[in-house]
Amino acid sequence: MRLEFIGIDPDTMKNGSPTVWVDGVNADIVIQSYAADEETRGQCARNTAPGHAQGIPDHETVIRVPARLVPMLREACDAAERAQL
């Protein structure tokens, strides 16, 4: 895995750090962010997508990405697309 740093939450001081990277090997977007609270996890577990089993699989989690990271996610999507060319 080779992570390309895309950006960090502009409101981050030295302790909080929602961050976005793109994996240079497979173009996955990698996000470090806040763990979702139990209410959010519960809503995700109950509100499934078509064809998706109810609940959150053990190998998955729910995170919250601050809206401030939207520009970085757009940049990460562009980087991921470029890596796949």
Side-chain angles (χ1 to χ4, degrees):
M1 179 169 31
R2 187 183 73 228
L3 295 180
E4 173 189 349
F5 172 76
I6 299 297
I8 191 166
D9 184 341
D11 286 355
T12 292
M13 300 315 259
K14 295 197 183 232
N15 294 331
S17 58
T19 308
V20 179
W21 298 272
V22 172
D23 185 325
V25 174
N26 60 16
D28 284 352
I29 295 172
V30 178
I31 301 170
Q32 174 184 328
S33 194
Y34 306 111
D37 60 23
E38 286 305 312
E39 180 181 355
T40 302
R41 289 179 54 78
Q43 287 183 33
C44 289
R46 289 187 300 278
N47 296 314
T48 59
H52 188 280
Q54 193 168 27
I56 301 167
D58 290 339
H59 65 281
E60 294 182 0
T61 192
V62 177
I63 63 167
R64 280 196 174 270
V65 177
R68 296 179 300 273
L69 264 61
V70 168
M72 286 164 243
L73 291 175
R74 286 188 183 114
E75 184 178 342
C77 289
D78 292 343
E81 285 181 343
R82 283 191 303 271
Q84 291 182 359
L85 296 177

